[in-house]
Amino acid sequence: MKNENNNFSKLNKLDKPQGNNSLKIISLGGFASVTANMFVYETSRDILIVDCGVGFPEEEMMGVDLVIPDISYLNDKKEKIRAVILSHGHDDHIGGLPYILPQLPKNLPVYAPKWALALSQMKLEEFGIFANLNEIDQKTSLTLGDFRLEFVKVTHSIPDTYHILLKTPIGNFYHAPDFKLDLIPVLGQPADQVRIQELGRQGITCLLSDSLGAERPGFTPAEAKLIEMFESEIKTCSGNFFVTTISSNISRLKQAIDVSVRHGRKVVPVGRSIEKNLELADKLKYLALPKEVMLTKKQVKDIPQGKLTYLVAGSQGQIGSALDRIVAGEVDSVKIKKGDKVIFSTDYIPGNETAIRRLIDNIYRLGAEVVYSDIHDHIHVSGHGSQGDLGKLMELIKPKYFLPIGGNYRNLVNYKKLAISRGFKENQVILADGGMVVEFFSDGSVKTNKKIETRQVMVDALGVGDVGNVVLRDRKILSEEGIVVIVLPIDQSSHTLDGEPEIVTRGFIYIKENLEFLKQTKKFTSQVIEKTKGKRMDYRFVRNKVQEELEEFFFKSTGRRPMVLPVVVEV
Amino acid sequence: MKNENNNFSKLNKLDKPQGNNSLKIISLGGFASVTANMFVYETSRDILIVDCGVGFPEEEMMGVDLVIPDISYLNDKKEKIRAVILSHGHDDHIGGLPYILPQLPKNLPVYAPKWALALSQMKLEEFGIFANLNEIDQKTSLTLGDFRLEFVKVTHSIPDTYHILLKTPIGNFYHAPDFKLDLIPVLGQPADQVRIQELGRQGITCLLSDSLGAERPGFTPAEAKLIEMFESEIKTCSGNFFVTTISSNISRLKQAIDVSVRHGRKVVPVGRSIEKNLELADKLKYLALPKEVMLTKKQVKDIPQGKLTYLVAGSQGQIGSALDRIVAGEVDSVKIKKGDKVIFSTDYIPGNETAIRRLIDNIYRLGAEVVYSDIHDHIHVSGHGSQGDLGKLMELIKPKYFLPIGGNYRNLVNYKKLAISRGFKENQVILADGGMVVEFFSDGSVKTNKKIETRQVMVDALGVGDVGNVVLRDRKILSEEGIVVIVLPIDQSSHTLDGEPEIVTRGFIYIKENLEFLKQTKKFTSQVIEKTKGKRMDYRFVRNKVQEELEEFFFKSTGRRPMVLPVVVEV
């Protein structure tokens, strides 16, 4: 993609030797991904990392807890890394720190807004990791090697979300992860659009922008809009009022608390994540919890019907979450019953739809009312900008290039369409995918012909990266077909079976009802070994032969293909 | 639920001895379920079965292909069964036949509309099952023991969908599974609302009604509405035009063919299910395929760009379906490329959202346009009625009782709210769940205090019902944590280890990178057995001890809990 737009000029470059310089942008979590955000900005001398998030395992990643970005690209460049910058406190932007920070240079500075910093600190402490954490705000200006940084506060579904301006020898880059342009935010101030426009006027080589909402027309509604919904729902609730939402959405929780106070209800947070987030938000003065109405779930005994609001974690139907356990009747002090109302003030995160709907069914079974997005249009607002918000940022910044991030590939494509509909040219938008290296040059050109390997590094309990495709493939077979282990006691000298084969099976068939079948299997195995006699005498041959023949035997008799594992024991 | 509405009267009863008679309605697939439809209508002398469908495995049912209704309730009542009636040809209404029919009395008559009959026949032939299939239509009137039946043709997303009026000694029942009131259907006639009203005037004890759309306000739009969408999308498509939808939706396919003909395109069905359905629809004269434009995928070579429409199976993102394989580049003769457009004219069936969205991303990666419900509101219409349709049927029938079916529990609750909003009383609506027995008496009362066991019978390859909860629980552990089999060669006389334990593991850790860890595990196991020496000498004790200690050992060292299976081999 050669620069064809020669009247673009006056990039606000720093006074640095230029030579053959370039700036590379790489997404270690892979471009065209919503989560596992981790971006590398690299000049010949310096590297800056923006965000360090986790991803969530896909359906096929059985037993995997988390996915983290692959930092192997940085392995031979660690001395170039100047800092990690965090844009905001969502897990897909900070959750990778405990796994990745220990692999980066010791004492590497991490810069973060106050709220993200507090959450990161809590997270790192759980892992016993000390980090060099530094707070930034709107007034911060940093010089880190080739990079000079400024920060722009914007609005999102978590407090303290920032955009980052990176001035580099190659040009200025405006990094705009998750945001919306909420003009009347519940907490804090709206984004300063005048300042954004000023930064744009300094000349921006590339705008890296959130693209998740690029399919949605209009502007994303303001968070404050939801107060009307809360009002009308609480008014018609004779019993206890339950609100579930993403626990980090402090503004949403504040609105639920405010409306409860107005209606004379006490408020009870339930679930570790909500309790922790509210406590921290109060301590850091993001909100002032009305102490006189806040109760713990142990203190509700004498509160009359209809005078309680519960703020409950588990809006995604997660097994074992507070809401799941309450609905299952496992929480002694909190019951849902007729007259109560449960508000799902949340998006269905892709992949969770079935679990959420099942939870809703079960709440209805308890006789309560449920309000959720299938029956109510205005119960949740997204934290991500729609076409209006995204287009507005395009116009304020007027960059030379666009690099949509934070979306699936279809969102990037729709972001591109949006840019074109706003009068930008098709070749101004870079559609990056996977491990693509987006390289900007001082003559204004950009190349995308290099590619790095980015695997998904899987975290399974204490193991980071030790679960790979082989293990996952085995888990998949095990999960669908089960396993049959057949132990073959083989006489060392005669190489024949000394006794009966032993069979252990799990996940294949119900053993108690299939004793006869297992007997047949043993007999069949003995025959197979009998037949190999005098052929080749190494155990590998015996094992392979038994495995092969048993696989066929099982498929013919059951239609299934369990994993067959013969074990030879010399006796 | 005692009858409190005594002015309801004149049930059109048959001339039968009454006595202590009752009519039971049971859902063998469980009430509050969308799929696995199979209803039992039972008097003291006779049983009628309505529909015989399959369900689809939930996420936890690993490796399970299908779920079928549990017919164990019928085991001691088989001589009472008079017939199976099928309402329409969707798999969740007919797909259970090959598994269930062989367990019912030989030569039991099956009554079905022409289209459902043809599909059933095809399905049964694949299994080599002969069945006594009989065609019904609007004029059919059947007397089967205590039951006299009439049929009402309605509209749905598959041709030939019927409602069933069952006249019984206890009263008349109107069985209304999946339907919408499409006034301008693409194929056939609209439902005859005058006749429905007449049937209602004969007095209906209970209306069993589709409830799936009870959350949606208004009427479900007519199928024919989509022609505008097809027109505007095909007009702006310079390349090949791809349409994917549920393969049994003949009306949808007809519209895609019609618009293609008008725009001078040849039409190519791709995928076994679509090819088969179109061929059958043509043969049975549901539509007349324009032979001169229909091509197979082998015949497209010389057709110029922009002159083809592909009708492709796989709208739910199913792995291995035609669309999945085309997108993966595995179908030689069909490629998707820049300029092409792919229309997802379909619902996202719950649970498939992630797979569908991933497929959409990959089509965008090929450079084609994609039109899907996230970016286009009018690309699909449901086959199920919304509040308008459902409410209209309520008013035409004016039953004494309502029994919502074909929905999840939340849909039943919303159906009840709808009935109340239309002026019916709360106690007229029966919310049935699971194995509830809904029993109607000749005095007009209804009881719901009995319950039968209904398990979900799982079909896994050739096995029907042999995969139960134990096997599934094992599969779940195996899938998330893997398995470690440890073979212990134990000396028969000394009860000590004779040689090294042998370890086989799958899905737990990557073996090649963890040889040292496996060595430690063997050593640890030897120590455990050493410690048991002189304690209790039975192998069960040794096995349990090894299992327990290894589980702890693994959890401490890896954080994981693989299934640990010690096998003792006597040497």
Side-chain angles (χ1 to χ4, degrees):
Chain A
M1 214 181 289
K2 229 2 205 146
N3 171 20
E4 297 169 38
N5 188 357
N6 283 311
N7 57 9
F8 184 91
S9 59
K10 281 183 262 167
L11 295 182
N12 189 4
K13 292 162 195 167
L14 297 181
D15 300 332
K16 293 269 164 168
Q18 303 273 320
N20 225 347
N21 270 358
S22 76
L23 179 103
K24 291 183 192 143
I25 301 180
I26 299 166
S27 167
L28 297 184
F31 283 108
S33 164
V34 179
T35 58
N37 288 284
M38 185 168 182
F39 293 87
V40 169
Y41 282 82
E42 180 181 16
T43 65
S44 59
R45 295 186 306 197
D46 301 304
I47 283 178
L48 215 62
I49 293 170
V50 178
D51 287 332
C52 186
V54 292
F56 308 104
E58 292 171 47
E59 217 177 305
E60 310 84 54
M61 298 182 185
M62 294 171 168
V64 171
D65 304 318
L66 292 173
V67 173
I68 57 173
D70 178 2
I71 62 162
S72 44
Y73 174 75
L74 299 174
N75 279 347
D76 57 353
K77 305 177 185 64
K78 288 191 180 161
E79 77 294 341
K80 285 175 69 177
I81 306 174
R82 299 294 160 249
V84 176
I85 317 291
L86 304 176
S87 62
H88 65 283
H90 276 148
D91 255 358
D92 57 339
H93 292 257
I94 71 165
L97 289 173
Y99 307 100
I100 290 174
L101 215 46
Q103 299 179 59
L104 298 183
K106 218 179 148 174
N107 225 22
L108 183 71
V110 175
Y111 295 91
K114 187 162 83 172
W115 184 247
L117 188 140
L119 294 179
S120 300
Q121 186 138 34
M122 215 154 53
K123 209 171 268 290
L124 289 164
E125 273 168 10
E126 279 175 27
F127 282 73
I129 297 170
F130 169 81
N132 175 3
L133 296 174
N134 306 273
E135 192 179 321
I136 60 99
D137 64 21
Q138 290 213 77
K139 296 180 209 108
T140 309
S141 165
L142 297 173
T143 301
L144 298 161
D146 272 346
F147 301 94
R148 199 175 294 164
L149 305 187
E150 293 178 33
F151 299 90
V152 181
K153 197 163 174 182
V154 293
T155 46
H156 186 38
S157 47
I158 188 170
D160 265 0
T161 296
Y162 280 81
H163 285 172
I164 303 154
L165 177 74
L166 302 98
K167 297 186 172 180
T168 82
I170 301 302
N172 297 343
F173 293 80
Y174 190 93
H175 191 96
D178 313 9
F179 79 100
K180 70 191 219 188
L181 295 175
D182 190 337
L183 301 178
I184 45 164
V186 169
L187 297 171
Q189 298 301 313
D192 184 347
Q193 298 195 20
V194 175
R195 183 162 173 238
I196 295 175
Q197 191 166 34
E198 274 169 22
L199 297 178
R201 287 204 180 120
Q202 295 178 26
I204 302 289
T205 300
C206 184
L207 163 62
L208 288 82
S209 170
D210 186 0
S211 63
L212 195 63
E215 291 170 344
R216 276 197 311 263
F219 280 83
T220 300
E223 175 68 30
K225 272 275 176 193
L226 293 177
I227 200 74
E228 296 160 24
M229 176 277 291
F230 279 126
E231 265 294 341
S232 84
E233 293 298 343
I234 207 167
K235 252 195 286 196
T236 55
C237 174
S238 60
N240 293 330
F241 192 65
F242 291 77
V243 176
T244 185
T245 186
I246 302 287
S247 306
S248 59
N249 195 336
I250 303 297
S251 301
R252 189 75 45 90
L253 294 171
K254 177 178 169 13
Q255 296 200 88
I257 294 171
D258 288 351
V259 78
S260 300
V261 170
R262 273 203 296 281
H263 287 265
R265 287 176 185 256
K266 303 286 184 188
V267 177
V268 190
V270 189
R272 209 174 80 92
S273 57
I274 281 200
E275 292 166 18
K276 207 177 64 178
N277 273 288
L278 279 180
E279 194 186 313
L280 193 63
D282 184 62
K283 189 174 134 200
L284 299 182
K285 304 207 186 327
Y286 285 93
L287 45 69
L289 283 182
K291 296 282 152 31
E292 63 289 0
V293 307
M294 302 303 294
L295 300 180
T296 70
K297 63 177 187 286
K298 303 250 157 86
Q299 300 172 317
V300 301
K301 235 185 272 169
D302 303 324
I303 309 295
Q305 254 317 297
K307 288 293 167 198
L308 280 173
T309 291
Y310 288 97
L311 308 176
V312 189
S315 62
Q316 294 299 312
Q318 307 96 312
I319 304 287
S321 66
L323 185 56
D324 176 66
R325 295 183 54 239
I326 291 172
V327 173
E330 293 169 12
V331 178
D332 280 339
S333 47
V334 188
K335 302 290 173 201
I336 296 177
K337 59 194 176 315
K338 204 175 152 117
D340 293 349
K341 192 183 271 192
V342 183
I343 312 283
F344 278 77
S345 185
T346 182
D347 257 340
Y348 296 179
I349 293 178
N352 297 344
E353 295 88 349
T354 316
I356 297 171
R357 294 208 175 102
R358 192 184 308 177
L359 196 59
I360 292 170
D361 279 336
N362 287 334
I363 298 171
Y364 270 130
R365 287 190 167 96
L366 298 173
E369 282 300 301
V370 196
V371 188
Y372 48 105
S373 62
D374 293 312
I375 58 167
H376 194 306
D377 279 344
H378 307 292
I379 199 170
H380 170 71
V381 297
S382 172
H384 293 269
S386 304
Q387 291 168 357
D389 311 67
L390 300 176
K392 185 79 193 169
L393 187 67
M394 292 176 182
E395 284 162 13
L396 293 173
I397 298 286
K398 288 202 179 60
K400 185 172 171 58
Y401 292 112
F402 297 92
L403 180 54
I405 58 173
N408 297 296
Y409 200 82
R410 66 180 183 280
N411 307 116
L412 313 187
V413 174
N414 282 292
Y415 185 92
K416 181 174 176 171
K417 286 187 192 163
L418 177 66
I420 294 170
S421 79
R422 299 265 165 159
F424 297 97
K425 299 216 180 73
E426 187 168 351
N427 61 12
Q428 287 185 267
V429 185
I430 302 161
L431 291 185
D433 202 4
M436 187 186 278
V437 177
V438 185
E439 192 167 9
F440 296 86
F441 295 89
S442 41
D443 67 356
S445 65
V446 56
K447 281 189 185 153
T448 58
N449 52 352
K450 283 185 211 159
K451 211 170 159 5
I452 67 162
E453 278 282 344
T454 51
R455 349 165 263 144
Q456 296 192 284
V457 177
M458 291 174 268
V459 178
D460 180 357
L462 304 184
V464 178
D466 66 340
V467 168
N469 289 333
V470 177
V471 172
L472 284 186
R473 200 189 52 215
D474 285 347
R475 287 184 182 175
K476 185 166 168 60
I477 297 172
L478 291 169
S479 74
E480 296 184 345
E481 315 272 348
I483 186 169
V484 179
V485 179
I486 184 138
V487 180
L488 309 167
I490 303 250
D491 184 280
Q492 284 187 38
S493 48
S494 70
H495 289 89
T496 53
L497 265 185
D498 183 11
E500 247 199 346
E502 182 84 31
I503 293 183
V504 185
T505 171
R506 289 292 186 276
F508 170 42
I509 44 172
Y510 190 50
I511 300 167
K512 283 193 186 154
E513 289 180 354
N514 287 284
L515 293 175
E516 183 51 38
F517 177 68
L518 292 181
K519 236 190 217 166
Q520 283 169 29
T521 306
K522 284 183 187 179
K523 200 172 151 199
F524 178 82
T525 309
S526 301
Q527 287 164 355
V528 171
I529 293 183
E530 189 63 28
K531 271 190 283 177
T532 67
K533 215 163 72 177
K535 285 191 178 164
R536 281 173 54 188
M537 279 310 126
D538 63 302
Y539 294 146
R540 192 194 300 198
F541 175 74
V542 174
R543 273 203 304 264
N544 286 350
K545 187 77 190 157
V546 168
Q547 183 176 355
E548 211 171 81
E549 298 262 355
L550 273 183
E551 278 173 354
E552 210 187 311
F553 176 77
F554 290 138
F555 185 65
K556 271 195 190 149
S557 42
T558 67
R560 298 175 203 165
R561 300 186 180 281
M563 184 180 283
V564 176
L565 281 188
V567 184
V568 169
V569 181
E570 285 197 332
V571 294
Chain B
M1 216 182 287
K2 231 2 205 143
N3 172 20
E4 297 168 40
N5 188 0
N6 283 314
N7 55 9
F8 185 90
S9 60
K10 282 184 264 172
L11 294 181
N12 189 3
K13 291 165 198 167
L14 296 182
D15 299 333
K16 293 269 166 169
Q18 303 271 322
N20 225 349
N21 270 358
S22 76
L23 179 103
K24 291 183 190 142
I25 301 180
I26 299 167
S27 167
L28 297 185
F31 283 109
S33 163
V34 180
T35 58
N37 288 283
M38 186 169 180
F39 293 88
V40 168
Y41 283 82
E42 180 180 15
T43 65
S44 59
R45 296 186 306 198
D46 302 303
I47 283 178
L48 215 61
I49 293 169
V50 179
D51 286 332
C52 185
V54 292
F56 307 103
E58 293 171 46
E59 216 177 305
E60 309 84 54
M61 298 183 184
M62 293 172 171
V64 171
D65 304 319
L66 292 172
V67 173
I68 58 173
D70 178 3
I71 63 162
S72 43
Y73 175 76
L74 299 175
N75 279 345
D76 57 353
K77 304 176 186 67
K78 288 194 180 159
E79 78 293 344
K80 285 175 68 176
I81 306 174
R82 300 292 159 250
V84 176
I85 317 290
L86 305 176
S87 62
H88 65 283
H90 276 147
D91 255 359
D92 56 340
H93 293 256
I94 69 165
L97 288 173
Y99 308 100
I100 290 174
L101 215 46
Q103 300 179 58
L104 298 183
K106 221 182 146 169
N107 225 23
L108 183 72
V110 176
Y111 294 93
K114 185 162 82 171
W115 183 247
L117 189 139
L119 294 179
S120 300
Q121 186 138 34
M122 213 153 57
K123 210 173 269 290
L124 289 164
E125 273 168 10
E126 278 174 28
F127 282 74
I129 297 169
F130 170 81
N132 175 1
L133 297 173
N134 305 274
E135 193 179 320
I136 59 99
D137 64 20
Q138 289 213 76
K139 295 180 208 108
T140 309
S141 166
L142 295 174
T143 301
L144 298 162
D146 271 347
F147 302 94
R148 198 174 295 162
L149 305 188
E150 293 178 32
F151 299 89
V152 181
K153 196 162 173 183
V154 293
T155 45
H156 185 39
S157 47
I158 188 170
D160 265 0
T161 296
Y162 280 81
H163 286 175
I164 304 155
L165 177 74
L166 301 97
K167 297 185 172 183
T168 83
I170 300 303
N172 297 343
F173 293 79
Y174 190 92
H175 191 97
D178 313 10
F179 78 99
K180 70 190 218 187
L181 295 175
D182 190 336
L183 301 179
I184 46 164
V186 170
L187 296 172
Q189 298 301 312
D192 184 347
Q193 298 196 19
V194 174
R195 181 160 175 239
I196 296 175
Q197 192 167 33
E198 275 170 23
L199 297 178
R201 288 205 180 118
Q202 296 179 24
I204 303 290
T205 300
C206 184
L207 164 61
L208 289 84
S209 170
D210 185 2
S211 63
L212 194 63
E215 291 170 342
R216 274 196 313 261
F219 281 83
T220 298
E223 174 68 29
K225 272 274 177 196
L226 293 177
I227 199 74
E228 297 159 23
M229 175 278 290
F230 279 127
E231 266 294 342
S232 85
E233 293 298 343
I234 206 167
K235 251 196 287 198
T236 53
C237 174
S238 60
N240 293 330
F241 192 64
F242 290 77
V243 175
T244 185
T245 186
I246 301 287
S247 307
S248 59
N249 196 336
I250 304 297
S251 301
R252 189 73 45 90
L253 294 171
K254 177 176 165 21
Q255 297 200 87
I257 295 171
D258 288 351
V259 78
S260 300
V261 170
R262 273 202 296 282
H263 286 266
R265 286 176 186 257
K266 303 286 184 188
V267 177
V268 190
V270 190
R272 210 174 79 94
S273 57
I274 282 201
E275 292 166 19
K276 208 177 63 180
N277 273 287
L278 279 180
E279 197 186 313
L280 194 63
D282 184 62
K283 190 175 134 199
L284 300 182
K285 304 207 188 321
Y286 285 94
L287 46 69
L289 284 181
K291 296 283 153 31
E292 64 289 358
V293 309
M294 302 302 294
L295 298 180
T296 71
K297 63 177 187 285
K298 303 249 157 89
Q299 300 172 316
V300 302
K301 233 185 272 168
D302 303 324
I303 309 296
Q305 254 316 296
K307 288 294 168 195
L308 280 173
T309 291
Y310 288 97
L311 308 177
V312 189
S315 63
Q316 294 299 313
Q318 307 96 313
I319 301 289
S321 65
L323 186 55
D324 176 65
R325 294 184 53 239
I326 291 172
V327 174
E330 292 167 13
V331 178
D332 279 339
S333 47
V334 188
K335 301 290 174 199
I336 296 177
K337 57 194 178 316
K338 202 174 155 115
D340 293 349
K341 191 183 273 191
V342 183
I343 312 281
F344 278 77
S345 186
T346 182
D347 258 343
Y348 297 178
I349 294 178
N352 296 345
E353 294 89 346
T354 316
I356 298 172
R357 294 209 175 101
R358 194 184 307 177
L359 196 59
I360 292 170
D361 279 335
N362 287 334
I363 299 171
Y364 271 130
R365 286 190 167 98
L366 298 173
E369 281 301 301
V370 197
V371 187
Y372 48 106
S373 61
D374 293 313
I375 59 165
H376 195 306
D377 281 342
H378 307 293
I379 199 170
H380 170 70
V381 296
S382 172
H384 294 269
S386 305
Q387 292 168 357
D389 311 67
L390 301 176
K392 185 78 195 169
L393 187 67
M394 292 176 181
E395 284 163 13
L396 292 174
I397 299 285
K398 288 201 178 61
K400 185 172 171 57
Y401 292 113
F402 297 91
L403 180 54
I405 57 173
N408 297 295
Y409 200 82
R410 66 180 185 279
N411 306 117
L412 312 188
V413 173
N414 282 292
Y415 185 92
K416 180 173 177 170
K417 287 187 191 165
L418 176 66
I420 292 169
S421 80
R422 299 266 166 157
F424 297 97
K425 299 216 180 77
E426 187 168 349
N427 60 11
Q428 287 183 267
V429 185
I430 303 163
L431 290 187
D433 203 4
M436 186 185 278
V437 177
V438 185
E439 192 167 8
F440 296 86
F441 295 89
S442 41
D443 67 354
S445 66
V446 55
K447 282 190 183 152
T448 58
N449 51 353
K450 284 186 210 157
K451 212 169 154 15
I452 66 161
E453 278 281 344
T454 51
R455 348 166 263 143
Q456 296 192 284
V457 178
M458 290 174 267
V459 178
D460 180 357
L462 304 183
V464 177
D466 66 339
V467 168
N469 289 333
V470 176
V471 171
L472 284 186
R473 199 189 53 211
D474 285 348
R475 286 185 183 176
K476 186 168 166 60
I477 298 173
L478 291 170
S479 74
E480 295 184 345
E481 314 273 349
I483 186 169
V484 179
V485 179
I486 185 138
V487 181
L488 308 168
I490 303 248
D491 185 281
Q492 285 187 38
S493 49
S494 68
H495 289 87
T496 53
L497 265 184
D498 182 12
E500 249 198 346
E502 183 84 31
I503 294 182
V504 185
T505 171
R506 288 292 186 276
F508 170 42
I509 45 172
Y510 190 51
I511 301 166
K512 283 193 185 154
E513 288 179 357
N514 287 284
L515 292 175
E516 183 53 37
F517 177 69
L518 292 182
K519 236 190 213 165
Q520 285 168 29
T521 305
K522 285 183 187 181
K523 200 172 152 197
F524 177 82
T525 309
S526 301
Q527 287 164 357
V528 171
I529 293 183
E530 189 61 29
K531 271 188 282 177
T532 67
K533 216 162 69 176
K535 286 191 177 162
R536 282 172 51 190
M537 277 312 123
D538 64 301
Y539 294 146
R540 190 194 300 201
F541 175 75
V542 173
R543 273 203 304 264
N544 285 350
K545 188 76 191 159
V546 167
Q547 183 177 355
E548 209 172 81
E549 299 261 356
L550 272 185
E551 278 172 356
E552 208 187 312
F553 176 76
F554 289 139
F555 185 65
K556 271 195 190 149
S557 42
T558 68
R560 298 176 202 165
R561 301 187 179 281
M563 183 179 284
V564 176
L565 281 188
V567 183
V568 169
V569 180
E570 287 197 332
V571 294

